[in-house]
Each structure stands twice: as C-alpha cells, then as structure tokens.
Amino acid sequence: MLKPVFRTSEFCGTCHKVSLDKPVNGYRWIRGQNEYDGHQDSGVSKNNARTFYNPPVAKSCQDCHMPLVPAPLGDVSAKSGLVRSHMFPGPNTALPHIRGDTETVKAQEDFLKDKKLRVDVFAVKRDDGSVVEAPDLRDVPLVAGETIEFQVVVRNLGVGHTFPGGTLDSNESWIEFTAFDAGARVKPLFVSGAIDPATKTVDRDAHFYRVLFVDEKGHEANRRNPQDFRAAAHLKVIGPGTADVARYRLTVPPELAGERLGVRAILKWRKFTRHYTEFAWTATMQGRPIPDLPVTDIASGEATFPVVAGALPPLADIPSAKVADGTAWQRWNDWGIGCLLQRDTTGADRAFGVLRDKLPANVNGWRNLARTKLEDGDVAGAVELLQAAEASSPGAKGDAQTAYFFGIAREKAGQLEDAIKAFEAAGVTFPGDRTIHRELGQIRYRLGRYDEALLDFLRVLAIDPEDRIAHQHRMLIYRAQGDDKAADLAQQAFEKYTIDENAQEWTNTIRRERPDVNVESQPLHVHELVRR
C-alpha cells in the first residue's frame, strides 16, 4: 500500500500548503499555511542557490517528522528493527497536555529543543553608534548610566521550513528578555516578554514570531477564523538556515558600577495563544476550568557585562583562532544574516567583514559582503567581492552559489548574456531552484527569446503552480505570439494569484490603535525597556 509519492515532501504539501479562495472567504484567493514552499525553496532540500547554509545532503519532510524508531513488538514492516514513527513530532504540546499525556508532551518538547534554534546574546550598540560583539569571548564593559542596545541573534538551525510553522495566527512564539544584577541575581531590573500571572497573556511589547491577521474592519482575526483574513498587519518568521536579530535598549543602572549586568534571552513557545485557548475552551468545554497550556523554553542565551563608572578600558581583540574554532564563525555569519534580512546593511557589512578579515579563506564572508553590496545597489563593489570569493580558497572557483550572485550582478549591470551564463551555471547544482528559472525567463523575455523564456516559466510553474510572476510573463509571451486564448487563461491565473495592493489599508486601524503591532511590523525595530 505504500506508494512512492508517500515518501516525498510533495505528498506532505497537499495539507501543508493551503490557500483560501472566494467560496470560503467571499473575497479572493489568499495564501494560507505553507510549510511546503518554505522547505522546497531552501537549502534543506538543496533547491536554493541563495541559501546562507548549504547542508551536505537534502532532507525531506519525512526525515524530520517521521524519524526511525525501534519496533520492539516486531512490526512486520521493520527494517533492522526500526520503523518510521507515526507520532509526527512537532510543536503541538496542547492536545497531549489536555488529555494528560505527559509522555507525548515531553516527546514534543524534546523535539523542539533538539538543536532546532539557537539564541545568542551577541552584540551591544552604544549611543555613539559603535558596536561590539562576542561578550562571551572577552569582557565588553558598559558605562554606568549609558544607554545600550543589546542585539540577540536567533538562528534557525534545524527547522526545515520557517520557524514557527503551522497556524501562525493561533500559535505563539516570543523572546523573554531579562537584564539583572549578575552578582545578586535578585528580581530582574528589565523584562520584555513576561507572562502576566493573572491573565496568562504575554507582554504585548515582546519580540514575537507569528502572524497577526486583520479582518475588513481592521480588527485582529484571532479566533482561528481564516474566512475573515484580509491582510497581515505583522508577520515575522525565521526561514531555514537564516537568522533574526532582536534589539533591546535600556539604560545601565548607575548603582551597578563595579558590578556586572547580566542579560538573558529565552525563545519560548506556546500552542496556543491564551486568547484562543480561552475562546475555544469556553465555546466547547463550558463549566470546566481553562487549562494552562505548556510554555516550552526552546533555546536560551546569556551574557554578563562589567559595569564601570568612568572611561571605558581598552577592548581586547578576538584572535582569528577563536572565530575559526569549529562553527564559531557561524555566529558572525548569523548576526550578519539577521541584519541583512532587516535591511540593516551597515550591521551586515560589519558582521561579514569580520569573517572576511579573520577568515579570508572562508567564502561566506566575501560572498555575503557581496550580497550586502547588491542590497545597497553597489554592483561594481559586489562584483569585486564575488571575484575575491572565487579566489578565497581552492574549491571556491566555480561555486554555484557565487555564480548565482554573479548572475544578479550581471543582470543589474545590463550584461544579460553573461547573466544567463551565470544563472545556468548555478542551475546545474540547483535544478529545482524556482528563482533561477524565473530569472532566466525574465532575461530571455527581455531579449525577445519567447520560446526559451516560456520554457523557463513553465519550469517555475512545475514547482509552484501559483507563481504569479510566471503566469504574468506567460500571458505576455502568448500575447506577443498571437495566441490570445492561451493568453486569456494565463491572465486569469495571474489575476487570481496577484497581490491585492489595497489590502494593507485594513491594517491601518490596528496599527494606530496598537503601537506594539506597529513597531513589530517594522523589519528593524528596537524594544525600549523601562526599569521595573
């Protein structure tokens, strides 16, 4: 009964890539839960030349969510005493908790904690704009009374799609950040992301990983009512092999001069939000106490800083050997990734610059600096860095990922034939990269090579039948070739999957009413902390 398709991630995508259309919402097609694209278009599946980390082997959904487990009762399908688990470990700690199944709750929590995410209190930014990183590798002193921005890096290490996944409107993940007297370890001095003991709700000003949808009245759609979803007022997730930077600003207490200030960040998870738990429970379990669903600490990071009363003492340098030690270099890379994805190119330039200077044989520093230059529009600077990336180590010449960014740079410079060659070179290693096919199709369309461009866009649609850009260019090509019937069908698909540019108007109300939502919706924002 086991068919080959059952072993594929595409089979999982039948439920884990969904959409809502007019018969459901009376509005139009909108994207819903989508773990499939997050996995397929990533380094985890080896289908993404843009990935920051390229694992040695590709993994399917089943590799993580159906791991091999012992079959002590002699299951007839067992091989070498092992079968695929059908518990489907993931983040749902709510249902087993409600039925009193502590064994499954623990199994789910162990899965969440097993090298899935990393939290790193990695850098501080002073009032003068200077930034210092790696407080665990050297003392990074603070001045009593100065205002400091702490930067916490959260890296997606082992989730094969975005973190968090699933129904992001009802799930809840956030950072609990505390600053405390490291000597006394008494009551925290500053806190963000605490749970109110009375209401069981999370501090609204926390750094959340979630989506917040609004309905047509601008109200939060927070009752698992997707038929009312219209626009996302706030969406923050961490893609596979990427990172996020959470920023917290506070004033160092003057009385800590001569002591140490401690900082701790914990990534937390709760299935579901307290609001949704109360709504669902009171609607179905009237008269029964509302449960306190488990809150899981997925990962944490901590650092302490000496506090001085006068001028700052000299700062020790970090030896290259410490940056090169094992995977330590990834901490700088992750910091840069988080900054770059927030369009903080100054921060990204500093982080990747450390890799380039300390580890010149590591291609990542050079290539990611080039990506930063491309983000800033400095094509010539990006090309120089990409050339340096190819010269950085013996195996770096002809690297497919570097070739991809050469393609981007050549396209931006108008060197379209060279861009085609670069993208085709990258596509040899990443044949399932939809972006490569899309880029090739757009360039060939500009050059009037309609038949070739059409094949490129059909390759995109073979991967993602809902790609609006591919449908748009398919429509334009058919029009140019005089095939109006095919063009009309392509136009229908393009109009169905295109983005409603006016949808964000529905978010204005909640942004005005809730400053926390307005702040969280910004790619780069700082959480201002007040002394408790």
Side-chain angles (χ1 to χ4, degrees), residues 136-174:
D136 59 318
L137 299 180
R138 57 184 170 179
D139 265 343
V140 177
L142 310 177
V143 176
E146 77 168 322
T147 300
I148 287 290
E149 176 189 301
F150 292 95
Q151 298 185 358
V152 177
V153 180
V154 183
R155 159 83 187 279
N156 183 342
L157 283 169
V159 181
H161 45 75
T162 60
F163 172 84
T167 54
L168 300 180
D169 56 296
S170 61
N171 298 336
E172 197 167 43
S173 184
W174 72 99

Side-chain angles (χ1 to χ4, degrees), residues 271-419:
K271 176 87 176 183
F272 299 91
T273 69
R274 180 63 183 183
H275 174 89
Y276 179 68
T277 300
E278 292 176 351
F279 163 74
W281 195 264
T282 54
T284 58
M285 300 288 185
Q286 294 183 5
R288 296 178 62 180
I290 299 173
D292 290 336
L293 297 181
V295 175
T296 305
D297 293 350
I298 296 178
S300 64
E302 185 172 324
T304 64
F305 303 83
V307 180
V308 299
L312 286 169
L315 190 68
D317 188 30
I318 299 176
S320 297
K322 286 194 174 182
V323 181
D325 184 20
T327 59
W329 65 271
Q330 292 184 7
R331 299 175 66 198
W332 277 266
N333 203 42
D334 296 341
W335 183 33
I337 292 168
C339 290
L340 182 59
L341 296 179
Q342 293 175 347
R343 296 193 287 277
D344 174 13
T345 52
T346 299
D349 192 75
R350 169 168 173 72
F352 298 139
V354 172
L355 283 187
R356 175 198 58 192
D357 297 340
K358 299 283 188 181
L359 304 177
N362 187 321
V363 69
N364 290 278
W366 299 101
R367 185 167 58 221
N368 290 338
L369 279 172
R371 297 178 70 159
T372 306
K373 293 292 184 185
L374 288 171
E375 181 71 21
D376 280 337
D378 183 358
V379 176
V383 169
E384 289 182 7
L385 287 162
L386 290 170
Q387 291 170 339
E390 287 205 313
S392 63
S393 59
K397 183 70 174 176
D399 179 271
Q401 291 185 262
T402 304
Y404 174 85
F405 292 105
F406 264 124
I408 295 293
R410 300 305 186 196
E411 183 180 5
K412 289 180 179 293
Q415 301 166 351
L416 302 186
E417 295 293 350
D418 288 338

Side-chain angles (χ1 to χ4, degrees), residues 38-59 160 240-241 401 430:
H39 171 265
Q40 193 281 332
D41 191 24
S42 76
V44 177
S45 63
K46 306 286 280 186
N47 287 320
N48 188 319
R50 308 170 316 283
T51 183
F52 290 98
Y53 294 98
N54 195 17
V57 295
K59 285 189 176 182
Q401 291 185 262
F430 299 98

Side-chain angles (χ1 to χ4, degrees), residues 392-511:
S392 63
S393 59
K397 183 70 174 176
D399 179 271
Q401 291 185 262
T402 304
Y404 174 85
F405 292 105
F406 264 124
I408 295 293
R410 300 305 186 196
E411 183 180 5
K412 289 180 179 293
Q415 301 166 351
L416 302 186
E417 295 293 350
D418 288 338
I420 288 175
K421 292 177 182 177
F423 285 130
E424 287 180 335
V428 173
T429 301
F430 299 98
D433 188 328
R434 64 187 75 184
T435 303
I436 290 176
H437 298 305
R438 193 187 301 122
E439 293 283 357
L440 285 168
Q442 289 175 312
I443 294 173
R444 286 171 172 145
Y445 173 79
R446 290 169 62 186
L447 293 171
R449 301 178 190 171
Y450 296 147
D451 289 340
E452 294 177 73
L454 181 59
L455 289 175
D456 290 320
F457 290 120
L458 291 177
R459 291 186 183 103
V460 175
L461 293 173
I463 297 168
D464 181 10
E466 298 163 337
D467 189 289
R468 63 187 180 89
I469 295 176
H471 284 300
Q472 179 189 28
H473 281 79
R474 195 165 60 96
M475 172 191 71
L476 295 172
I477 291 169
Y478 289 140
R479 291 269 185 248
Q481 294 177 332
D483 190 345
D484 289 337
K485 183 177 180 180
D488 289 343
L489 291 173
Q491 182 174 349
Q492 290 176 19
F494 168 63
E495 291 175 350
K496 175 178 180 178
Y497 300 123
T498 197
I499 297 171
D500 182 0
E501 299 292 348
N502 297 319
Q504 284 299 314
E505 292 182 6
W506 285 312
T507 70
N508 291 338
T509 298
I510 198 167
R511 290 179 198 273

